[in-house]
Amino acid sequence: MERTIICISRQYGSGGREIGEAVAKKLGIPCYDKCLIQKAAQEAGLSETAVAEYDEKGEDFGIAVSGNPFADTAALGEAFYSEEARVFEAERRAILELAEKGDCVIIGRCASAILRAAGYRPLSVFIYADSADRAKRIAARNNLDEKRALHKAQKVDRMRKHHFDFYADTLWGEPESYDLMLSSSEYGVSGAASVIASAKEEMQHE
């Protein structure tokens, strides 16, 4: 029987993490997100905080150029790429190990592209939402006003797109990258989880 692996990509503030957790609960399988960061951090020899900041915000691990703003830019770029590559490779190994263990839901981390390259057939889902809904969710979570929340959403989405587009052979947020694209504004968390669970069942019965 084909393994049940569901990969959730999402716009920031769309509720994709909550939907992934709801899918996992509905199917009775594990959902990997923060634990995957922790595992990757340990394997890459980086702190969990550093990996989390890079993964969600695109931070540069605190590397900065002092003095002349154009000095050592090549060294800076090389250092950043080296850290980024270490994080990605650690996460790639972690994702493959988790998939080997059994059925699961994996949130983000370019998991669908990684698993397909390794011969798996996950259900790849993209969750999006209306800007107003995203702003409200982010504002409530981070104690921000909705204007700043939307700005944060745009920034994080740019970083997620950059990361996905660099490592995958398709584009973030584009239909050809996913089996299913759902609006959490239309379906809500519970409704979206039900659609995803049903879609995976249909794939298994083809």
Side-chain angles (χ1 to χ4, degrees):
M1 181 177 177
E2 185 179 341
R3 188 162 292 170
T4 295
I5 303 177
I6 299 172
C7 300
I8 307 286
S9 294
R10 74 283 189 214
Q11 288 182 322
Y12 185 64
S14 65
R17 179 180 289 107
E18 292 88 343
I19 290 169
E21 291 170 349
V23 172
K25 184 176 181 180
K26 186 178 291 288
L27 297 177
I29 61 179
C31 180
Y32 298 113
D33 184 15
K34 292 298 182 183
C35 62
L36 188 59
I37 293 177
Q38 294 166 355
K39 184 176 179 64
Q42 293 169 356
E43 294 188 2
L46 301 169
S47 72
E48 294 172 14
T49 299
V51 177
E53 286 181 353
Y54 161 74
D55 214 53
E56 292 299 328
K57 302 175 184 177
E59 299 289 352
D60 61 3
F61 295 92
I63 302 169
V65 176
S66 59
N68 184 342
F70 299 103
D72 300 323
T73 52
L76 172 62
E78 183 178 349
F80 175 65
Y81 176 75
S82 176
E83 294 296 275
E84 180 182 14
R86 287 174 64 199
V87 173
F88 177 78
E89 178 57 23
E91 291 189 345
R92 187 188 70 82
R93 290 196 303 267
I95 287 167
L96 293 176
E97 288 176 9
L98 293 171
E100 181 65 25
K101 287 181 180 179
D103 300 346
C104 60
V105 174
I106 303 177
I107 310 295
R109 278 71 188 171
C110 214
S112 59
I114 290 169
L115 292 172
R116 284 173 175 170
Y120 289 92
R121 191 178 175 221
L123 172 65
S124 178
V125 182
F126 186 80
I127 303 296
Y128 61 97
D130 296 343
S131 295
D133 291 340
R134 295 170 65 199
K136 289 178 182 177
R137 183 178 281 111
I138 296 165
R141 182 190 304 162
N142 297 278
N143 194 28
L144 300 172
D145 60 60
E146 292 188 11
K147 182 177 180 179
R148 291 178 62 197
L150 189 56
H151 177 73
K152 181 179 176 68
Q154 293 167 345
K155 177 183 177 181
V156 174
D157 280 353
R158 283 196 301 270
M159 295 310 304
R160 287 180 176 175
K161 177 174 174 58
H162 171 77
H163 181 80
F164 188 96
D165 291 356
F166 185 83
Y167 288 109
D169 57 2
T170 55
L171 299 177
W172 184 86
E174 296 295 326
E176 63 267 23
S177 300
Y178 309 98
D179 302 308
L180 184 64
M181 301 182 77
L182 286 174
S183 168
S184 58
S185 294
E186 295 296 326
Y187 286 91
V189 171
S190 178
S194 295
V195 171
I196 294 167
S198 296
K200 184 56 185 175
E201 184 178 354
E202 289 300 319
M203 284 183 67
Q204 291 177 329
H205 285 83
E206 288 181 354

